[in-house]
Amino acid sequence: MQKLSVRHLLGIKGLTENDIQLIFETADNFKSVINRPIKKVPSLRDITVANLFFENSTRTKLSFELAEKRLSADIINFAASSSSVSKGETLIDTVNNILAMKVDMVVMRHPYPGAAVFLSKHIQAQIINAGDGAHEHPTQALLDAYSIREKLGDVRGKKVVIVGDILHSRVALSNILCLQLLGAEVMVCGPTTLIPKYIHTLGVKVEHDLQKALNWCDVANMLRIQLERQDIRYFPSLREYSMMYGLNKEILDSLDKKIVVMHPGPINRGVEITSDVADSRQSIILDQVENGVAIRMAVLYLLAGGQN
Amino acid sequence: MKLLLKSVKVVDPNSPHHGKQVDILVQNGTIAKIGKSIKEEGIRKLEWKGAHVSPGWLDLNVNFCDPGHEPKEDLKSGADAAAAGGFTAVALMPNTQPPLHSKSEIEYIRNKAQAYLVDVWPLGTISRDKEGKDLSEMYDMKSSGAVAFTDGTQAVQDAGLMSRALLYAKGIGSLVMNTGDDRSISQKGKMNEGEMSTLLGVKGIPALAEELMIARDIYLAEYNDARIHFSNISSARSVDLIRAAKRKGLKITCDVSVNNLYFDESALHDFDSNFKLRPPLRTSQDIKSLKNGLKDGTIDAICSQHTPEDKEHKEVEFEIAAYGSIGLQTAFALACMSLQKSMEIESIISCLSQKPRAILGLEPVSIREGAKANLTVFDPEKEWSLAASDILSKSKNTPLIGARLNGKALAVINNDQYKLTS
């Protein structure tokens, strides 16, 4: 069996292009599995996975849980608000308590950047980062790239624009790194106050005019505006944001090519994209969700198989 | 105490023996004799290969957590660490609990540290409770032994308060220090805003937060015709601002932490909280400018910014980890390793000894017969490494355990006591 070059999936940083291709090929197999009448395989039997969610999540948690169940893993779930944890038990203690019950893998969502990296230095179990603050969300980036590959045949050479709150987005960072590793060109687009000053050091193009960005791209990934992540106001109102960066059918139809529209969910309908765009044939939003399970199955499976 | 230093090279431009290899006889706390080859039987003789001697070093920025957080560090353990790093004096930041904001705390420090080899000089707060609102009783604290005033890690945000503090301190013949950190700019940033913070998804502290406040304070100092000292500057533009102000003849001094001289933001690539510092580690360009600033005299002093923190505050997620690292025992090595290519050893030593003493208005120390024996013996070339068991601080928060270092203090002599550092 081919193996990954890493022991944990902490981020796209640290992965090689071969790792990603291996994850994609493995996901291809699992995608056919989950479309069969019997959706379950015994690959992770006897493996216990702890899903530790220190921050609210619905879809990522469901997607991981489903992936684990389809692989026949045993699962325990832990949810805590970060505030109650930061007041009391430390992260290492919390996780070690759970690991004392003989857990093999940890899937963790955490509000602080670097939490998964930090944990990997202090515990034995294998870790999958399910999102750490504004740092990384590797499985989201993998499923996004996988969905582009599925829709357009290949990621290499494609032009992808990520629109929205780049400053607070782990999805943006992981997507940039993943798409670049696979040979795509990446642009970020959003209000000047939501684009990190040094984003150009990652080798991405920066555009503040949505129309221009869309004219340039093959794929538009419309990020969710996460007001809950903003400690201060970075733009005057959602209404104004939507006026400048909302994607509607009119704009979409004005483009001279049929671009692919993506969204990591959950959608604020009428803010980032209008319903007619979200539900249009150019949108692959629901494919992303389906591919999410296959990608997470592939990651769990490959990590359980050990490191190269 | 009677002691003979054998064959040490004097590094002290104010001494007639500067640059010479001599023997130094120390007796009853003073330098009794300096000569080519002093013959004295029956006393302790200290001899090393490659040993240099200079006036004792002073660190302008240390935290001893006493009173308030003694399990992290107390005056004794802090002073021991200082001595082991070659420092015979430290200026104690008021980042204590309660802050050093009245006569009681200042007297506590002075009394408790009275018999130490290391002189412990307390810095009083500018504002009561370090709250940045009302002036603290500076005159009373000065009379009790406070050598200057600063709100430590809490940079003074209110320009009006800062202006009054400068003016008031001038009136009592004292000095105000501030660190550049405009919180309306730095907000919830945790590391330098730059390439690395972008890659790590960590909120950035723009160098602008430091530069804006330094620019403001330069104006305030000029307006009030007052002295001001900037603690641990970290950015290239800060160096430029201070250089220009000094050229204008303003009474400005500043220091830099060895951390900001030696490490850049790339050290944070895997979220090691030992590199979570304030001011944050910046870029290699900033380091270059800081070195130039030291070389041309824009920056006056080098400090360790010794900040002990226990495991509970460091071995946690980067976001909530406390700022700071211990540094007294490794400061000289980092200074040597970052500066030896660009600066003469006597210029480096001057930033560790004569210049910081002058900033605080302390009596100059010189290596001459009859003078008080306040000496640091060191070897700028010595290779060594720091083992965890060598750390005399109660806290072990340093990224340098096991690292190869160059430059080490060998012994310190002060207040009629001496201590070998290894």
Side-chain angles (χ1 to χ4, degrees), chain A residues 13 110 121 134-135 173 231, chain B residues 188 199-201 270 317 319:
Chain A
K13 276 193 288 283
H110 201 282
K121 294 184 198 168
H135 181 218
L173 184 61
D231 44 8
Chain B
K188 291 185 179 168
L199 207 52
L200 297 182
D270 68 345
E317 299 90 305
E319 188 79 7

Side-chain angles (χ1 to χ4, degrees), chain A residues 13 91-92 110 112-115 117-118 121-122 134-135 168 173 177 197-199 201-202 229 231-232, chain B residues 187-188 193-195 197-203 269-273 312 314-320:
Chain A
K13 276 193 288 283
L91 179 60
I92 298 180
H110 201 282
Y112 296 145
V117 176
F118 167 70
K121 294 184 198 168
H122 291 95
H135 181 218
H168 296 91
L173 184 61
L177 300 174
K197 186 174 167 70
Y198 292 91
I199 193 80
T201 59
L202 299 180
R229 285 194 182 280
D231 44 8
I232 45 175
Chain B
Q187 292 278 345
K188 291 185 179 168
E193 181 193 59
E195 190 173 349
S197 68
T198 308
L199 207 52
L200 297 182
V202 173
K203 282 217 167 109
H269 68 96
D270 68 345
F271 296 92
D272 184 344
S273 67
E312 289 72 19
K314 273 295 188 186
E315 266 188 31
V316 291
E317 299 90 305
F318 184 83
E319 188 79 7
I320 53 171

Side-chain angles (χ1 to χ4, degrees), chain B residues 134 146 154 175 191 205 301 329 331 393 400 415:
Chain B
D134 302 309
Q154 297 294 115
L175 169 71
M191 63 181 286
I205 304 173
Q329 287 178 255
S393 282
L400 291 170
N415 295 336

Side-chain angles (χ1 to χ4, degrees), chain A residues 166-265:
Chain A
I166 311 299
L167 189 64
H168 296 91
S169 176
R170 52 190 167 220
V171 175
L173 184 61
S174 286
N175 256 284
I176 291 167
L177 300 174
C178 185
L179 291 167
Q180 287 180 335
L181 204 53
L182 295 173
E185 265 191 274
V186 187
M187 174 188 278
V188 295
C189 177
T192 40
T193 48
L194 288 176
I195 305 286
K197 186 174 167 70
Y198 292 91
I199 193 80
H200 61 275
T201 59
L202 299 180
V204 298
K205 293 182 172 16
V206 179
E207 176 60 64
H208 300 295
D209 183 328
L210 181 66
Q211 186 80 40
K212 284 185 188 160
L214 295 175
N215 273 323
W216 172 83
C217 75
D218 301 307
V219 179
N221 193 350
M222 310 299 293
L223 298 186
R224 197 170 97 84
I225 283 295
Q226 295 183 298
L227 284 178
E228 71 275 11
R229 285 194 182 280
Q230 300 181 7
D231 44 8
I232 45 175
R233 285 280 187 148
Y234 289 87
F235 55 86
S237 65
L238 278 180
R239 185 176 157 272
E240 186 152 307
Y241 177 83
S242 184
M243 283 164 65
M244 293 172 75
Y245 296 100
L247 178 56
N248 57 37
K249 199 77 172 68
E250 198 184 328
I251 304 174
L252 201 61
D253 290 343
S254 77
L255 305 174
D256 52 13
K257 62 182 164 188
K258 294 263 182 229
I259 63 162
V260 177
V261 177
M262 305 175 71
H263 192 296

Side-chain angles (χ1 to χ4, degrees), chain B residues 135-152:
Chain B
L135 290 179
S136 50
E137 293 181 332
M138 292 191 197
Y139 173 74
D140 203 18
M141 283 195 275
K142 181 176 188 251
S143 309
S144 312
V147 289
F149 298 94
T150 170
D151 274 357

Side-chain angles (χ1 to χ4, degrees), chain B residues 206-363:
Chain B
L208 175 71
E210 175 174 307
E211 295 149 4
L212 266 186
M213 189 166 276
I214 286 180
R216 178 200 77 175
D217 285 358
I218 289 173
Y219 273 104
L220 294 175
E222 183 175 19
Y223 176 81
N224 293 300
D225 188 25
R227 284 176 68 204
I228 186 165
H229 177 83
F230 294 109
S231 294
N232 39 58
I233 65 166
S234 69
S235 91
R237 292 282 292 276
S238 300
V239 179
D240 293 343
L241 285 166
I242 293 168
R243 182 181 290 121
K246 280 189 163 186
R247 283 207 182 126
K248 246 173 116 177
L250 305 186
K251 291 170 258 184
I252 291 172
T253 52
C254 67
D255 66 63
V256 61
S257 151
V258 282
N259 295 319
N260 293 95
L261 280 178
Y262 191 71
F263 299 111
D264 65 39
E265 60 174 10
S266 65
L268 289 143
H269 68 96
D270 68 345
F271 296 92
D272 184 344
S273 67
N274 280 321
F275 291 111
K276 186 177 177 185
L277 305 167
R278 197 137 190 160
L281 298 176
R282 302 217 188 257
T283 66
S284 52
Q285 266 312 310
D286 292 304
I287 292 180
K288 210 174 144 198
S289 294
L290 291 168
K291 286 181 182 172
N292 286 336
L294 276 164
K295 206 173 165 188
D296 72 11
T298 301
I299 303 176
D300 302 273
I302 301 168
C303 61
S304 73
Q305 213 193 357
H306 180 82
T307 308
E309 280 295 345
D310 49 19
K311 247 174 111 167
E312 289 72 19
H313 290 85
K314 273 295 188 186
E315 266 188 31
V316 291
E317 299 90 305
F318 184 83
E319 188 79 7
I320 53 171
Y323 291 100
S325 69
I326 56 167
L328 277 164
Q329 287 178 255
T330 46
F332 180 61
L334 291 192
C336 287
M337 287 154 74
S338 26
L339 298 168
Q340 237 165 7
K341 280 195 190 122
S342 55
M343 277 168 80
E344 297 289 329
I345 187 69
E346 63 178 80
S347 308
I348 300 175
I349 294 300
S350 166
C351 294
L352 287 164
S353 173
Q354 290 97 337
K355 286 183 177 176
R357 291 189 75 84
I359 288 167
L360 294 181
L362 302 174
E363 221 176 293

Side-chain angles (χ1 to χ4, degrees), chain A residues 117-144:
Chain A
V117 176
F118 167 70
L119 202 60
S120 72
K121 294 184 198 168
H122 291 95
I123 68 164
Q124 283 304 312
Q126 284 167 299
I127 298 164
I128 298 175
N129 181 5
D132 58 334
H135 181 218
E136 288 228 42
H137 192 355
T139 55
Q140 179 73 44
L142 289 167
L143 77 88
D144 286 346

